[in-house]
Amino acid sequence: MTSSLDPTLQTIGKNLRRIRVASGRSQEGLALDAAIDRTYVSQIERGIANPSILVLKKIASCLDANVSDLVVGT
Amino acid sequence: MTSSLDPTLQTIGKNLRRIRVASGRSQEGLALDAAIDRTYVSQIERGIANPSILVLKKIASCLDANVSDLVVGT
């Protein structure tokens, strides 16, 4: 986990939250579909996790989005 | 390292190679600046590594680019 808040990770977290909420999904529902821990979804959304591309790809595909959608604005 | 080739990782690898070559940098020079191993730069460019966002951010900043530039088209 990242100690200080990184602006790139924060932007990705905001993108994820926006797309997830727009899709009507809960963190639990998304985590279940993406087969990752709910707390990890929360950490990514809060910008305190440093996800790999393949984790972002799994999350994006569950939201019918692309990795580039999650990284927009970085 | 990823066993089968993932299209998202391959796209990121092509983006990195294109941006790096356009900047006139060698893999060695970029690896030195980004403080990562040259073989890792090569693995990312070949689409066989699964980099984290912060690794991509370090590489992108050395190339005066953004993470979103490296992830375009995914």
Side-chain angles (χ1 to χ4, degrees), chain A residues 2-14:
Chain A
T2 311
S3 57
S4 63
L5 291 180
D6 177 278
T8 299
L9 297 180
Q10 286 188 289
T11 298
I12 290 170
K14 285 182 193 133

Side-chain angles (χ1 to χ4, degrees), chain B residues 33-61:
Chain B
D33 285 353
I36 58 178
D37 196 277
R38 189 203 63 75
T39 53
Y40 195 52
V41 172
S42 168
Q43 287 170 0
I44 295 171
E45 288 195 356
R46 287 181 287 139
I48 59 171
N50 176 25
S52 73
I53 288 298
L54 291 186
V55 162
L56 289 181
K57 179 178 179 179
K58 248 191 329 186
I59 291 173
S61 67

Side-chain angles (χ1 to χ4, degrees), chain A residues 7 51 66-67:
Chain A
N66 298 311
V67 172

